[in-house]
Amino acid sequence: MVSSSPEASGPDQPASPDAPANGALASTVPGLWRRMACWLYEGMLLFAVAMTAGWLFSALSQMRNAMDETRRPLLLAYLFVVFGVYFIWFWCKGQTLGMKTWNIRIVDRQGRPLTQSRAFLRYILSWIWLLPPLALHPLLGVPVVETMVLLLGWIAVWAVLARFHPERQFWHDAWAGTRLITSKPMSRR
């Protein structure tokens, strides 16, 4: 599926482990469709993480349903921390499970693995994908269906804005000092 796209012939070639940090890494940027497919796949994996974490939270806090107004903010904060631990852990290792599947690796601007502080900064900035339209729901009372339409539109616009970055990186990556590159899955060693 990926090989039939026009992007697959050029910029999706694997990077050598000792590729220089200048323009050579810019040519290894995965195509937008591949990055978005990885993003969707990661969302499916996060569903399992959220279900497990939510079950654990509800069992330990005796929360009966997600509409419990006293515990719901705690559940959301807990999931924010759980997702943060998931992403920061895997980004410091170079790849999340979804990135391994789609042969994408995350590095800093010099091509080195991320530090925990840089991974944390990227995690915070990556919420730009979701928070602006989701904030409209409680702040302005936008109905749920319209919020979902706004969310999908915002995601599409935010993804297309990567075309305007000189190296075609997502803007939260540029601001965090990170970059996505094409890479074969890293070994277990």
Side-chain angles (χ1 to χ4, degrees):
M1 179 172 129
V2 174
S3 61
S4 65
S5 75
E7 294 172 316
S9 59
D12 285 348
Q13 296 305 316
S16 66
D18 53 352
N22 52 17
L25 275 180
S27 66
T28 64
V29 175
L32 180 62
W33 289 110
R34 195 158 119 213
R35 287 183 286 166
M36 292 309 294
C38 177
W39 190 83
L40 286 172
Y41 186 78
E42 201 74 60
M44 289 188 290
L45 294 173
L46 280 180
F47 183 75
V49 171
M51 291 297 291
T52 304
W55 171 79
L56 182 62
F57 180 86
S58 64
L60 294 176
S61 69
Q62 298 298 309
M63 186 174 177
R64 298 289 179 220
N65 62 52
M67 295 304 177
D68 183 346
E69 294 299 323
T70 58
R71 294 185 185 121
R72 186 172 183 202
L74 292 173
L75 173 63
L76 294 176
Y78 173 70
L79 288 175
F80 179 80
V81 170
V82 168
F83 291 162
V85 169
Y86 171 86
F87 282 115
I88 291 168
W89 171 268
F90 281 111
W91 287 341
C92 287
K93 302 290 183 194
Q95 293 175 310
T96 62
L97 299 174
M99 292 168 130
K100 285 181 182 183
T101 302
W102 288 94
N103 296 333
I104 295 174
R105 187 165 48 109
I106 186 163
V107 294
D108 68 6
R109 286 188 182 128
Q110 290 75 36
R112 298 181 305 231
L114 300 188
T115 62
Q116 285 184 346
S117 59
R118 187 163 307 276
F120 177 75
L121 177 62
R122 184 180 195 264
Y123 175 68
I124 296 299
L125 290 173
S126 69
W127 279 94
I128 293 172
W129 282 92
L130 303 172
L131 280 186
L134 291 180
L136 294 176
H137 179 66
L139 294 177
L140 300 177
V142 177
V144 173
V145 174
E146 292 175 19
T147 301
M148 297 311 292
V149 170
L150 288 172
L151 179 65
L152 292 174
W154 177 258
I155 289 169
V157 167
W158 191 249
V160 169
L161 284 177
R163 295 283 187 191
F164 297 104
H165 186 272
E167 298 172 359
R168 302 214 183 239
Q169 293 288 333
F170 292 128
W171 285 99
H172 68 280
D173 282 312
W175 298 329
T178 60
R179 59 189 317 131
L180 296 175
I181 62 171
T182 298
S183 173
K184 291 296 176 195
M186 298 168 66
S187 70
R188 291 184 174 190
R189 292 186 228 167

